Every structure is written in structure tokens, then in C-alpha cells.
Amino acid sequence: MRSSIPGLGRVMVFLAAALASASLAVPGSWGEEGVQYGQLGSDVTLSCAGAPAGSPVQWRRAGAAALPEGSAIQQGALVLPSASLASMGTYSCHGEDGGLLHAVSLRLGHLPGVPFVSCRASDYENFSCSWTSSVETFLPTRYITTYRKKSLTGEEKRRNKNGHVGLCLQDPSRPGTCTVHRSEFWSSYRMNITEVNPLGFSYRLLDVTMQAIIKPDPPEGLVVEPIPLAPRRLHVSWKYPSSWPKEPHFQLRFRLQYRPVIHRSWSVVETVNLSEVITDAFAGLEHVVQVSAKDFLDAGNWSEWSAEARATPVRDLATTASEETTTEARLESLAEEPSQAPNPEPINRSDPLEKMAVLVSLGIFAFFVLAAVLIITIFIWLRMRKHGKDKTKPNFLVAATHLKALPKAQIL
């Protein structure tokens, strides 16, 4: 972002620009002496420091027999038109006698782009912002990170008439992040993340509200245990994340998800307690459990899920005892029976009850078939009878009409 920002952002932009300009102006601040930076795709001019004015000079490139194509020497300086990555290297200028006058290492890259920035608060006292570059510059890069509180109280306005701009502190062990300490949960902040390299700088302004970016760390110490004599129950307990201050005014609520390991769908339960009893677990099946946290007043977002914990509910005692008894009986019978030669006749493993069930099923099926045949026969007979009556009725009416039309003498 390079356009001017009125009001609140102007001070932050001016400060970032001043710091960026200071970084650009300090010789050697980007590395060792004798390095010159240029922009890819633009004309780059290398000066021959130490050469007498107007004296002819020669330019050479280390490790190459000739200078890049299209290059030209103008008033002792070497001009590289539309420089590309292939133009990088070490160049040196020499006098008429071949003596070295100056050497410079050329590095090429791009101007910084507007960085991508996101912020998150793992508790209600501090928040952190992280960023990534939007352009691969091929050059050393630094970041200037500042913030300003948007809404100031009367006392704060009197103490900071020009607006208070603070530094979002960067941790060398966590590159690409900075932290604002002792922030206020009900306040809003404007962040300025400025990316600087030897060619220039670019920045992004981001308004941050603590209530919107609060996202606790996952709960810790998740423990899942079976409950004795309860085949479908598991006891689950956990602790607050260590990063969340234990204050009565800022509590967390929790979301518990669980499933048998062999299933894919989760069951979810919400609670404000630090423990929960699962009452619909599957006896004898291993279950996987996870828990996440969120601000009690529903501010911000749910945390990531905690690490998994697993446990298996106890098996039903009656089923377990029955299986153990059956197993022991089989083992005893196998131990008591002497070994015999193999019997070539097939073994009849059918059960009398199974035979009886098959016969009953066949009888019921035959009954329904016979009933269906009988119903169809009766239906056909009724249709045929009705058709016969309808056929004889017109002949009788014709005969009666003919008799009525004859003279009485003929009828007698």
C-alpha cells in the first residue's frame, strides 16, 4: 500500500517510512561493503569509484570473458539495460594500465509487495500477528511492526496528544511474528506491518479487535478412562491451556468429540466443566477422544483440537462370563477326548431345530401358494358366470317383443 492514509494511519505510515528510509540510508546495513542492489527488468548503472574524471576505464566481469549483451560504458560508468538474474555477479573497473580501481558485487531483485497479515490472541492479555511476503524479491528483507490503539480514553488523549505508536515486538526465535503485550480485551488496535528491502518498502494496515481474534490454545492434559462396571461409559477430564490466565471473569467452555476407532463419524458434546462422562460408548471398542476450547461468552473462535486420547470401555460382565465359560468348556472337552483316526464319512452338523424351522417355513409358503391359486380360480369362475348371464338377457327381450307385435289370432 503506497497511498496516503489520513488521520489514524498517517502517524504510523510516517514512522514506518522514517525507519525504512533510515535502513536504506545506512551504508552496509544490508550486508557487506561493496554490494550494489538493483531492480530486475530496469537499467542498472555501476559507477567506477576512484577513477579520475574523464579518464578512460575498462570494465570486466569475474568469471566471464565478456560483459552482458547490450551493456555500455558511459562516462566511466557501466550501464546494464533491462538487467536480469543472469546479469548478477562481481564487476570491476580498471585504469589504462590495467590496475584495479573499484570492484562491486551486483544483486538484483524486486520491490517489496504488500505483505499478507493475520492476527490471533491466545489469551485476553496479549495478541500476536504473523505475516508472509506477497512477492519473492530475491533480496534481504526486514519488517517494521508497529501498532496504535484506536479508541483512547480522555486521560490517554491528554498523555498522547500526537497519538501513541508502539512497537509490536519481534521474537528472533519466531521469524515472521510479533506480539503486543498487555493489550486490552475490549479495545481495538491498528497494526502496521511494513516490509523493507534495499530497493524500497511497502506496508499493510490492519484493524484488530481483541474480541474477534481471540482463539485459545487447545486444552491440555486430556485423560480418558473406562468406568468399572459401566460397559458404555468413559470418563474424560482435561485442563485449561497453560497460556490462558485463570481469572474468574474470563472463563472457557469446551467441546468434546469422540468416536470408536473403527467408525468415521464423530459425536460432539459441549460443556463448561473440566470433565465429562460419555454415556453412549460401545462396550469393548476402543474410542478416540479430543477436546477444544472457546471463550465462555462466545467471542472469537474455537481452538484447534487437542491431541488424541484413547480408551476402551469395559465389556459387559454377563457376556464376558458367558464367553469365558464357553471357551473353558470347549478346552476341557478337547482335552478329555482321545485322538481318533479321521472318519471318511461326512459329519452331519445340522441342528434338529434348524430342520424344524425349515419345514415350517416350507409349509407356510405352500399354504399361501394354494390360497392364491384358489382365489384366482374363484375370481375367474365369477367372471365367466357373469358374462353368461349378460349374453342370455338380450335374446329373451327380443322374443318378448316379437310376441307382442303379432295379432291376437296368431297368438291363439
Side-chain angles (χ1 to χ4, degrees), residues 37-57:
Y37 298 95
Q39 185 173 354
L40 281 168
S42 64
D43 296 346
V44 176
T45 301
L46 302 179
S47 300
C48 184
S55 62
V57 297

Side-chain angles (χ1 to χ4, degrees), residues 78-392:
L78 178 64
V79 179
L80 304 175
S82 302
S84 64
L85 289 175
S87 303
M88 292 195 304
T90 301
Y91 294 81
S92 59
C93 63
H94 304 260
E96 289 182 306
D97 59 354
L100 176 65
L101 299 176
H102 179 66
V104 62
S105 179
L106 177 62
R107 292 190 60 182
L108 300 173
H110 297 288
L111 284 166
V114 178
F116 299 111
V117 182
S118 63
C119 297
R120 169 182 175 258
S122 60
D123 58 70
Y124 56 87
E125 295 180 338
N126 314 281
F127 70 89
S128 300
C129 293
S130 59
W131 58 85
T132 56
S133 178
S134 60
V135 176
E136 178 61 48
T137 64
F138 305 105
L139 297 176
T141 302
R142 296 173 182 169
Y143 291 90
I144 301 170
T145 53
T146 59
Y147 73 92
R148 187 178 190 275
K149 188 177 176 182
K150 292 184 66 178
S151 54
L152 299 177
T153 63
E155 179 62 24
E156 289 173 330
K157 290 180 180 178
R158 285 190 294 272
R159 286 188 285 107
N160 304 285
K161 294 182 179 180
N162 296 324
H164 172 68
V165 176
L167 290 178
C168 183
L169 300 179
Q170 300 182 41
D171 185 353
S173 64
R174 298 172 58 202
T177 62
C178 70
T179 303
V180 176
H181 296 283
R182 298 191 177 185
S183 54
E184 298 177 1
F185 187 78
W186 306 108
S187 298
S188 298
Y189 297 84
R190 172 159 290 180
M191 305 299 301
N192 183 348
I193 309 298
T194 301
E195 181 177 336
V196 186
N197 72 12
L199 302 181
F201 68 94
S202 185
Y203 64 90
R204 181 181 294 278
L205 299 180
L206 181 66
D207 289 337
V208 172
T209 303
M210 287 286 290
Q211 300 174 57
I213 65 171
I214 192 76
K215 183 180 180 180
D217 289 329
E220 302 172 359
L222 178 62
V223 177
V224 186
E225 299 173 316
I227 299 178
L229 306 178
R232 301 202 62 189
R233 295 175 181 264
L234 289 171
H235 182 266
V236 187
S237 61
W238 58 90
K239 300 177 182 178
Y240 265 62
S242 56
S243 59
W244 188 269
K246 297 177 178 60
E247 296 291 341
H249 303 297
F250 293 92
Q251 299 293 321
L252 293 174
R253 59 191 181 98
F254 303 94
R255 182 174 57 177
L256 185 74
Q257 70 172 13
Y258 59 94
R259 63 176 175 84
V261 174
I262 62 175
H263 292 178
R264 293 185 178 181
S265 59
W266 294 89
S267 299
V268 180
V269 176
E270 291 192 15
T271 180
V272 297
N273 302 316
L274 289 174
S275 64
E276 187 70 22
V277 175
I278 298 174
T279 60
D280 56 350
F282 290 86
L285 294 182
E286 185 181 31
H287 286 63
V288 57
V289 181
Q290 290 178 295
V291 63
S292 65
K294 190 178 184 181
D295 177 72
F296 182 80
L297 298 178
D298 206 33
N301 302 288
W302 284 99
S303 73
E304 301 296 331
W305 290 105
S306 68
E308 294 182 353
R310 299 190 177 194
T312 303
V314 297
R315 304 193 68 179
D316 186 13
L317 295 179
T319 303
T320 305
S322 176
E323 291 180 354
E324 291 179 354
T325 303
T326 304
T327 303
E328 291 177 358
R330 288 179 180 176
L331 292 175
E332 290 177 358
S333 62
L334 290 174
E336 293 176 357
E337 291 180 0
S339 59
Q340 299 178 356
N343 188 357
E345 298 182 0
I347 300 175
N348 183 13
R349 300 182 183 273
S350 59
D351 190 354
L353 293 178
E354 183 178 351
K355 290 183 177 180
M356 181 64 67
V358 172
L359 292 176
V360 171
S361 300
L362 292 175
I364 294 174
F365 177 75
F367 171 77
F368 280 108
V369 171
L370 291 176
V373 171
L374 180 61
I375 291 172
I376 293 172
T377 303
I378 294 174
F379 177 75
I380 295 174
W381 178 76
L382 291 175
R383 289 292 301 272
M384 293 180 63
R385 182 179 178 186
K386 181 178 181 182
H387 181 70
K389 288 182 179 181
D390 293 341
K391 188 175 181 181
T392 55

